[in-house]
Amino acid sequence: MSTPDRVEIAVIGRQRPAVLEALGAEFTLHEVASLDDIAGSLGPAAERVRGALSNPMIGLSAAMMDALPKLEITTLFGVGLERTDLAAARERGIVVTTTPVLYEDVADTAVVLAMDVSRRITAGDRWVRAGHWAAGGAAASGRRFSGKRAGILGMGRIGRMLAKRLEAFDMQIAYYDPRPAPDVEYRLHRTGVELARESDFLFLCAAGGPGVGHVVDAETLAALGPEGVFVNVARGWLVDEQALVDAVTNGTIGGAGLDVFDDEPNVPQPLVEADNVVLVPHIASNTFETRSDMDQCVIDNIRSWFSTGKAITPVPS
């Protein structure tokens, strides 16, 4: 039931309690029960909704926009835009906002994953907990992390922050990006395969836009080689996951650190069982500080739009 004079907001997908509590005190929120039938889920409210809360894994499709004829703004809890139809949003005059406050934590996580795989930190933890150390066993050796060659696929904000961190480990840094970054001094390679061939650690930080396809495939992994470590903090579907499974299980690469997967939350069993793979459940940006900042970014965008007609962090049109 709507309240007179209160702007109505559609809640698409799971949202953070802090966001719902704050906005619920000022706006009328309507939870969308079915993504396949937004108009049916909202009933008459669909004709009145002026704002929407969503997230990058759901986004905002043209069909969703069509179901909300008075929609003015959608706020995404995250930065991915691959499932939001920006062209349709521009045509409709709908403002799309993201929460560009998570890059530092994602870059930190990429370093942690790479170091964990190379130094066998969680593998060692499992080994100790299983009682092998107490039984007199000898732990397997890891490989040095500092001073190595780092290749970064995607020199956007995360890639740049990652490179800055890797410099502290005296790493030789190179990158591949279809849109070269003229303001960085790192060596640019012509292809991802060429970059992988010259890297000890290969980090995927590329944007997962529509039509991108696999950024990392069997050829890329073969070029990385049997001592190389692959780290993905971007999107799972940017990687040929079967090729990755084959690469870590047959020794094509030395190991992998993965925050994202092709069919989340489902992870291929061979990756689960592989001792040279570190898995985390899409938590690269999941710190108390960043989640709080993301909450506030969503709240501030909605408040600002409906009080001043301006968004705080709009996606450029």
Side-chain angles (χ1 to χ4, degrees):
M1 182 71 67
S2 65
T3 302
D5 302 324
R6 279 172 55 120
V7 171
E8 299 184 51
I9 308 288
V11 179
I12 302 173
R14 188 175 181 180
Q15 300 295 326
R16 298 258 297 171
V19 172
L20 297 178
E21 180 179 358
L23 294 180
E26 304 172 40
F27 303 89
T28 298
L29 305 184
H30 299 282
E31 183 176 351
V32 173
S34 171
L35 298 179
D36 296 324
D37 186 14
I38 289 182
S41 294
L42 297 178
E47 299 291 326
R48 302 189 301 266
V49 161
R50 296 172 59 195
L53 310 179
S54 189
N55 63 67
M57 303 306 286
I58 295 175
L60 191 73
S61 66
M64 292 176 178
M65 298 178 209
D66 290 341
L68 304 170
K70 292 187 179 179
L71 187 65
E72 302 171 23
I73 184 172
T74 184
T75 62
L76 302 177
F77 187 83
V79 295
L81 294 167
E82 60 270 27
R83 292 185 173 169
T84 294
D85 193 329
L86 293 178
R90 283 192 293 269
E91 185 176 340
R92 283 272 307 271
I94 297 170
V95 173
V96 177
T97 72
T98 60
T99 57
V101 293
L102 53 76
Y103 303 111
E104 297 274 358
D105 280 341
V106 176
D108 288 350
T109 301
V111 175
V112 170
L113 286 171
M115 186 176 292
D116 190 332
V117 176
S118 63
R119 295 304 310 273
R120 294 182 55 82
I121 303 300
T122 51
D125 177 84
R126 292 191 297 271
W127 191 79
V128 172
R129 292 175 188 273
H132 298 312
W133 192 23
S141 297
R143 292 189 178 275
R144 183 175 297 163
F145 179 72
S146 59
K148 298 289 187 171
R149 301 170 301 169
I152 300 175
L153 291 164
M155 192 51 71
R157 278 184 277 192
I158 293 173
R160 291 164 189 258
M161 291 182 179
L162 172 59
K164 180 180 178 181
R165 285 154 173 74
L166 296 176
E167 286 179 356
F169 291 93
D170 297 322
M171 285 195 165
Q172 303 170 48
I173 301 167
Y175 79 101
Y176 167 72
D177 195 306
R179 296 180 179 178
D183 58 329
V184 302
E185 298 180 354
Y186 311 119
R187 182 183 177 187
L188 171 66
H189 283 274
R190 295 174 298 173
T191 66
V193 172
E194 181 182 280
L195 175 66
R197 188 174 295 117
E198 299 297 322
S199 300
D200 300 303
F201 293 88
L202 184 65
F203 297 88
L204 181 55
C205 303
V212 172
H214 291 148
V215 175
V216 173
D217 56 16
E219 184 182 7
T220 311
L221 296 168
L224 182 58
E227 295 182 3
V229 172
F230 172 64
V231 174
N232 189 1
V233 290
R235 287 289 187 258
W237 53 76
L238 295 178
V239 178
D240 182 337
E241 197 164 71
Q242 184 56 56
L244 179 58
V245 168
D246 294 341
V248 297
T249 56
N250 65 21
T252 299
I253 64 174
L258 308 172
D259 179 55
V260 290
F261 306 89
D262 190 39
D263 182 27
E264 297 176 6
N266 302 304
V267 179
Q269 193 60 29
L271 294 180
V272 174
E273 297 172 355
D275 197 48
N276 59 340
V277 178
V278 176
L279 310 169
V280 290
H282 203 151
I283 57 169
S285 66
N286 191 3
T287 64
F288 288 109
E289 295 87 350
T290 288
R291 285 297 195 247
S292 178
D293 290 344
M294 292 171 71
D295 288 346
Q296 196 60 51
C297 193
V298 169
I299 294 165
D300 289 346
N301 271 296
I302 292 292
R303 283 175 173 166
S304 178
W305 178 259
F306 289 111
S307 62
T308 70
K310 296 181 179 180
I312 306 297
T313 56
V315 175
S317 58

